[in-house]
Amino acid sequence: MGNKSIALLLGATSAVFFVFGALIGVYVIEENKNAFVTLDVKPLLIDEISAEKISANLKHLTSVPHVAGTEQDLLQAEWVRDRFLESGLDEAHTVPYDVLLSYPRHGVVNTVQLIDEKNQVNFTTAGRQPPLGTPQDSYDKVLLNFNAYSGNGIAEDNIVYAYYGRDVDYEELQKRGVNVTGHIVLVRYGAIFRGSKVVIAAKWGAIGVILFTDPIDKAIEGRNFTFPDSWWLPGMGVESGSLYVVDGDPLTPAYPAIESAFRLKEEEQANLPRIPVQPVGYDEAEILLRSISCENPAPQEWAGLLDTRYCLGPKPLNTGWKVRINVSTTNEMRRTYNTIGILRGSVEGDRYVLLGNHRDAWTFGALDPSSGTASMIEVVRALGYIMKNKNWRPRRTMVFCSWGAEEFGLIGSYEWTQQFAKVLSQRAVAYLNVDVAVGGNQTLRGSAYPMLKNLVIESSKLVPNPNAAEIAAGRTTVFDTWAKNAPDANKPGQPAVGNMGGGSDFAPFAYVVGTPTTDFGYTAPYSYPTYHTLYDNYQLASEIVDRGFVHHQAVARMWAVAAAELADATILPFDIKSYAAFLNDSLNALEDKYDEQLQQNNATFKYFRASVDSFSKATKDFKEKTLNTVNLENPLEVRRVNDRLAQLERFFIDPKGLPDRPETNHIVFSVSANNAYGSDTFAGLVDLLLEVGNKTDAQDPVTWNKIRQHLSVIAFLIGEAARSLSDNLW
């Protein structure tokens, strides 16, 4: 047989196998689809989800402290796994990672002391929080006060009050003639991430940091009306928390902490703090502030509600007196666990809708994070009940993620997404995060990527209002109260859905994998005051914040409804036109602020603008010519359309990362470089423009070259995102 004949035979055979394979695929899809009933499960989920069961879940979860890397961490991971299997999930596993965590040294109290001119100790902080509520507050496994990853050792000198510890605050100190170099800074919690405060303090020359919460932020009704009489923070309440400013295991950056992983030496990780840091209660901070001479009074807006004048320092009130920080916090290799449960889809089993919440807490963690964990377990139970009793399965696979070591820097979720990044980049449809399900009882708050904002809003319309007074006022749904309390200034009658920030487990999905994400929960005008303290316990949740657990129930219902819509809708409910509008609005704001400066320095928004316009046209065409005409009875056509939608977010991922930030890859959304809790739109560009300031191309050619290069990357990736919606190669 000649080469030509062989080639023809091979070609014909390949074609037969291709068609046969396609037919088998269609047949399997149709067979799977017909094996289960088609059912709108959303009203069934709303009816089934129980406030009482969420309460019982939370009571168990808060019965012991469960810091990551401890025995209780494993026990709770296994308990969640068992609840998943008991509810009927197809599989559930605990997934271990060996990572660098941080703890106070056993039996050694970290202290802040006032030392007089004779080197005598005149005051020492307690180093622990007193039990005030339920008996478990005195549980022997409650850790002493500390900040994870603090540098250890002793720092001794005068103190300077530095307000919230931002760069702008140190600039104000400098204007007033106060130099913090060689001194210890006393810094209030709030405004920015605590770890960023330490980085900034070290940059300005401080040798140690004392962190405290001012009652003006978390005890505004007075020091005599605090927990357990109210939710306000008592004077000896101390917020713990990590100081590590990069997410994931510190010793395996960018790669998973699996057995075969290469690990840095601890001293090679430049992002770990080197100076000692210790948090204290505001009763203790008041004594420290009183020790400062008031020759340099603080600006009026820097004052709080402590019973003392707020003075800057560094001169002490008593000559020769100093402050000494003694920190024995140590970093240790420990094992932490994720618990992953899977409910397989009946039609598109290789497409994943993921729900997640972290499980670890600094103490009992009733609101952060166990309100979310208790709610997720109930969502899983309700789905399992409907599956067993209604012969239903979701169209797509649902994955339930209980993360470990989030409090140390999103470690569990980062290690897992790094381990499965290639698969997730092909198969993940969306990730729905609930960190704190209930941090207050006034209204819902929500954040989402543009394509999912409408899903969050529409889901809230289906959930009954948990507040009887709101129902009496005619606001019968979660949506109604949300729209009233947090209206969108640009969309009358709609609630404002924020952009994704940082500080929770959606980050690796959002900024590394490129998966559309959401995060939501109930809140109040103030973030809950006992955050990360001993007093975030079951008593707080059940007697003060959410009696009857009706707000927990509302969040669980909304979580389940949104997930069910993503898992069951034939065509994914992604609002791509909103993404186009968002990009256009964001670029308009950048042009208004920076266009003239760019033109004066041989840079331009021209190609950025052209790509955004191209993306707007592509989304319009895709909606009109594809979404509105797709044959829903053709599974291959449905699959093609859904793959375009699911992959769209990935096109905004730059594998090389943002300028000088290789660990952050999303060009549109990113955690702020100066605040790990906040976010910036087009952060790579904005960071460079802030860095260059008023300097011209001639004065700072290196940064301006970075700006021009990043503008070209932005234009290219947005253009490719537009192209991805078309059948054409170019």
Side-chain angles (χ1 to χ4, degrees):
M1 188 181 290
N3 290 339
K4 185 174 181 180
S5 298
I6 292 171
L8 288 170
L9 178 60
L10 289 173
T13 304
S14 298
V16 169
F17 275 110
F18 176 80
V19 172
F20 183 63
L23 289 172
I24 288 176
V26 173
Y27 175 76
V28 169
I29 289 172
E30 291 301 316
E31 282 295 295
N32 285 342
K33 184 170 71 174
N34 293 332
F36 299 95
V37 299
T38 300
L39 187 67
D40 181 4
V41 298
K42 295 190 287 291
L44 300 178
L45 286 165
I46 288 172
D47 288 343
E48 180 60 27
I49 286 172
S50 162
E52 291 77 13
K53 287 184 170 62
I54 295 173
S55 173
N57 293 338
L58 188 68
K59 194 165 190 176
H60 176 86
L61 289 163
T62 57
S63 61
V64 293
H66 43 285
V67 180
T70 64
E71 179 186 3
Q72 292 72 36
D73 182 25
L74 172 58
L75 291 174
Q76 290 217 348
E78 292 175 336
W79 185 81
V80 171
R81 178 202 61 199
D82 293 346
R83 299 292 76 70
F84 284 175
L85 293 172
E86 180 181 273
S87 296
L89 295 191
D90 297 301
E91 54 185 290
H93 308 276
T94 55
V95 185
Y97 294 102
D98 294 322
V99 295
L100 187 73
L101 302 180
S102 181
Y103 307 90
R105 185 168 294 166
H106 182 69
V108 179
V109 180
N110 294 336
T111 59
V112 177
Q113 298 176 319
L114 278 174
I115 310 298
D116 66 19
E117 73 282 3
K118 296 179 181 178
N119 207 35
Q120 299 297 308
V121 176
N122 279 260
F123 167 72
T124 302
T125 54
R128 67 180 76 235
Q129 300 170 78
L132 296 176
T134 54
Q136 74 219 45
D137 289 355
S138 57
Y139 197 88
D140 61 356
K141 288 184 171 58
V142 172
L143 297 181
L144 299 169
N145 299 340
F146 82 116
N147 284 118
Y149 302 113
S150 167
N152 59 23
I154 297 173
E156 185 174 320
D157 208 275
N158 297 325
I159 55 173
V160 173
Y161 172 52
Y163 198 30
Y164 285 118
R166 304 161 296 187
D167 275 311
V168 66
D169 301 325
Y170 289 99
E171 290 164 4
E172 181 64 27
L173 287 169
Q174 195 173 56
K175 289 177 188 176
R176 292 170 178 262
V178 178
N179 185 350
V180 304
T181 301
H183 298 310
I184 295 166
V185 289
L186 178 65
V187 176
R188 273 163 61 170
Y189 273 121
I192 62 173
F193 174 56
R194 72 186 77 80
S196 301
K197 296 173 187 284
V198 177
V199 170
I200 294 168
K203 180 179 71 175
W204 283 84
I207 62 170
V209 179
I210 304 167
L211 295 170
F212 78 103
T213 300
D214 197 286
I216 200 171
D217 296 318
K218 294 196 175 182
I220 61 172
E221 293 190 61
R223 291 158 79 163
N224 294 322
F225 187 58
T226 60
F227 185 84
D229 300 316
S230 74
W231 78 335
W232 299 112
L233 183 69
M236 292 298 286
V238 174
E239 177 185 322
S240 295
S242 174
L243 304 175
Y244 187 52
V245 294
V246 180
D247 295 322
D249 173 35
L251 303 187
T252 58
Y255 294 95
I258 55 180
E259 185 178 359
S260 61
F262 170 80
R263 287 174 167 81
L264 300 175
K265 296 177 181 177
E266 189 176 328
E267 59 270 20
E268 294 174 329
Q269 177 47 269
N271 292 302
L272 289 171
R274 306 300 183 206
I275 61 175
V277 182
Q278 180 62 16
V280 301
Y282 60 76
D283 283 352
E284 297 168 322
E286 185 173 78
I287 294 170
L288 298 174
L289 273 171
R290 286 175 180 165
S291 75
I292 302 174
S293 169
C294 235
E295 291 182 9
N296 287 320
Q300 185 176 354
E301 62 270 21
W302 288 25
L305 290 180
L306 293 176
D307 187 19
T308 182
R309 293 184 66 187
Y310 285 72
C311 308
L312 300 177
K315 183 178 178 180
L317 182 64
N318 297 309
T319 302
W321 284 43
K322 293 183 178 180
V323 169
R324 177 188 297 157
I325 304 177
N326 191 340
V327 173
S328 300
T329 298
T330 57
N331 301 334
E332 304 175 24
M333 290 297 298
R334 294 277 188 100
R335 178 165 289 185
T336 191
Y337 300 85
N338 296 331
T339 298
I340 307 297
I342 296 173
L343 176 57
R344 294 193 191 96
S346 61
V347 179
E348 298 181 69
D350 62 343
R351 294 297 181 262
Y352 308 149
V353 175
L354 301 106
L355 294 77
N357 154 269
H358 75 94
R359 189 185 59 258
D360 65 303
W362 292 114
T363 54
F364 302 103
L367 302 187
D368 181 13
S370 299
S371 63
T373 310
S375 298
M376 181 165 65
I377 292 170
E378 176 59 6
V379 169
V380 170
R381 188 203 63 79
L383 286 165
Y385 176 84
I386 294 168
M387 183 176 66
K388 293 171 190 173
N389 289 278
K390 299 293 184 180
N391 193 33
W392 166 87
R393 269 187 182 270
R395 177 186 180 92
R396 301 177 185 90
T397 292
M398 302 178 80
V399 182
F400 302 91
C401 309
S402 174
W403 306 117
E406 186 267 2
E407 295 292 7
F408 287 85
L410 316 185
I411 288 177
S413 56
Y414 255 88
E415 300 316 303
W416 194 78
T417 52
Q418 287 169 349
Q419 184 174 1
F420 299 103
K422 299 297 184 183
V423 171
L424 291 170
S425 67
Q426 294 177 339
R427 301 179 184 177
V429 170
Y431 174 74
L432 309 181
N433 192 70
V434 172
D435 188 323
V436 179
V438 177
N441 52 29
Q442 184 192 56
T443 187
L444 193 78
R445 52 103 191 138
S447 301
Y449 267 7
M451 289 195 296
L452 291 182
K453 289 188 176 185
N454 189 60
L455 172 72
V456 175
I457 290 172
E458 292 303 312
S459 298
S460 73
K461 292 178 180 178
L462 300 178
V463 179
N465 202 319
N467 187 318
E470 287 292 291
I471 295 172
R475 292 180 284 274
T476 59
T477 67
V478 166
F479 168 86
D480 296 329
T481 296
W482 186 17
K484 171 182 173 286
N485 285 288
D488 188 327
N490 299 313
K491 297 178 181 178
Q494 294 287 309
V497 184
N499 298 325
M500 303 305 292
S504 194
D505 293 299
F506 55 77
F509 290 93
Y511 306 132
V512 179
V513 178
T515 304
T517 60
T518 71
D519 182 77
F520 51 82
Y522 251 80
T523 190
Y526 299 90
S527 63
Y528 80 94
T530 55
Y531 169 78
H532 283 193
T533 73
L534 178 65
Y535 314 115
D536 184 3
N537 57 25
Y538 184 78
Q539 179 182 2
L540 174 76
S542 62
E543 298 180 17
I544 297 174
V545 176
D546 191 18
R547 294 182 180 180
F549 284 83
V550 291
H551 297 86
H552 285 76
Q553 182 184 41
V555 173
R557 285 169 163 173
M558 183 163 160
W559 205 359
V561 163
E565 180 66 15
L566 285 164
D568 263 355
T570 305
I571 298 298
L572 291 171
F574 286 0
D575 184 5
I576 59 174
K577 286 195 71 175
S578 287
Y579 216 138
F582 178 84
L583 292 179
N584 188 65
D585 291 345
S586 299
L587 178 53
N588 287 341
L590 288 171
E591 287 174 329
D592 289 345
K593 190 169 185 178
Y594 295 112
D595 188 50
E596 184 177 349
Q597 183 183 12
L598 260 63
Q599 291 186 46
Q600 292 170 352
N601 290 280
N602 303 310
T604 179
F605 282 120
K606 175 183 175 182
Y607 302 105
F608 190 166
R609 170 55 67 187
S611 290
V612 169
D613 290 344
S614 175
F615 186 83
S616 296
K617 182 178 185 304
T619 57
K620 182 175 182 291
D621 289 346
F622 187 78
K623 182 174 177 59
E624 293 175 355
K625 299 176 182 178
T626 302
L627 288 179
N628 292 346
T629 62
V630 62
N631 179 3
L632 299 181
E633 299 303 315
N634 183 336
L636 295 181
E637 189 173 341
V638 168
R639 178 78 160 201
R640 178 178 66 86
V641 170
N642 280 334
D643 282 353
R644 297 274 176 87
L645 291 168
Q647 289 295 320
L648 182 60
E649 197 73 56
R650 320 281 202 263
F651 282 85
F652 299 115
I653 295 293
D654 183 355
K656 294 186 179 297
L658 302 185
D660 303 320
R661 297 173 64 190
E663 75 284 353
T664 302
N665 305 84
H666 203 295
I667 61 158
V668 181
F669 296 101
S670 173
V671 176
S672 168
N674 299 306
N675 176 16
Y677 283 157
S679 67
D680 287 324
T681 305
F682 295 106
L685 179 61
V686 171
D687 287 345
L688 289 171
L689 289 166
L690 290 173
E691 180 183 336
V692 81
N694 295 321
K695 292 184 286 236
T696 65
D697 188 12
Q699 294 169 322
D700 190 355
V702 172
T703 304
W704 275 106
N705 265 336
K706 289 181 181 179
I707 290 170
R708 284 186 282 269
Q709 181 184 31
H710 193 54
L711 280 166
S712 74
V713 170
I714 291 171
F716 168 69
L717 291 178
I718 294 176
E720 289 304 291
R723 199 187 319 275
S724 76
L725 294 172
S726 167
D727 288 332
N728 300 321
L729 179 60
W730 57 71

